[in-house]
Amino acid sequence: MGPDGDQIGIRPLAEALSIAQAHGLDLVEVADKAEPPVCRIMDYGKYKYDAAQRARESRKKSTQVVVKEMKYRPKIGRGDFETKTRKVRDFLTAGNRVKITVMFRGRETLHPELGQRILDEVSEVTGDLARIEAPPRQDGRNMVMVLAPDKRTRK
């Protein structure tokens, strides 16, 4: 292809290079597997710059999904529970996913219903903002649940 996008046809390499140099442009091989190889006459520096700008623009539009974590204990006090849950609500309103972990120590592992109760209460308090992405499950000495911000409630 020529500098204006028009077809030049099959030319020997030396002639194609001289046409590109006459226009002050580069001869760029577009399809090397084709027979004969397809080349284009263009400003390669400008092409690379435009490609970098498009890539930067697409990165700017994408959002990073962040997973925040909040840790609870089975014997947590009421005030601590409310403070931590308020922080979970803040994370969810900011659009972050939240991993909620209830950590058991010693014989507390024999009473998983205590951790289940805490996770149920957290999901109940944040129910207007979030949906449960991963239901509560026992993971060794921890009980884990993941909440994701609910798209319908976000502005």
Side-chain angles (χ1 to χ4, degrees):
M1 284 192 175
D4 303 327
D6 53 334
Q7 297 283 341
I8 294 179
I10 299 174
R11 302 289 168 101
L13 180 61
E15 186 181 339
L17 280 169
S18 65
I19 293 171
Q21 287 176 345
H23 286 92
L25 298 172
D26 303 310
L27 183 67
V28 179
E29 190 174 46
V30 178
D32 59 337
K33 302 279 189 242
E35 193 54 48
V38 178
C39 295
R40 175 176 275 164
I41 296 174
M42 68 166 86
D43 185 353
Y44 188 65
K46 182 180 180 205
Y47 170 77
K48 281 181 65 173
Y49 175 78
D50 289 341
Q53 291 298 321
R54 282 192 301 275
R56 179 187 289 143
E57 196 64 34
S58 70
R59 278 194 308 271
K60 193 183 292 184
K61 289 179 183 173
S62 70
T63 57
Q64 288 289 89
V65 176
V66 179
V67 179
K68 301 284 190 173
E69 183 174 18
M70 188 59 67
K71 295 183 177 182
Y72 291 83
R73 293 290 318 271
K75 296 179 180 175
I76 191 169
R78 191 82 223 145
D80 288 343
F81 175 83
E82 289 170 0
T83 302
K84 285 178 180 265
T85 307
R86 189 169 39 248
K87 196 65 182 165
V88 168
R89 288 183 65 85
D90 292 344
F91 291 151
L92 290 167
T93 53
N96 298 317
R97 292 167 50 204
V98 183
K99 177 180 174 183
I100 298 173
T101 306
V102 178
M103 302 178 300
F104 296 99
R105 267 198 225 142
R107 292 187 180 171
E108 290 174 346
T109 54
L110 299 174
H111 300 285
E113 68 277 359
L114 297 175
Q116 184 67 44
R117 191 178 314 141
I118 289 173
L119 294 177
D120 289 343
E121 194 171 345
V122 170
S123 63
E124 185 180 309
V125 171
T126 60
D128 59 329
L129 290 175
R131 59 182 169 74
I132 297 175
E133 190 171 87
R137 61 180 165 72
Q138 191 77 30
D139 186 24
R141 291 190 161 276
N142 299 326
M143 188 174 271
V144 180
M145 173 175 75
V146 179
L147 297 176
D150 200 350
K151 300 255 187 285
R152 293 170 296 179
T153 60
R154 293 196 62 208
K155 294 160 185 86

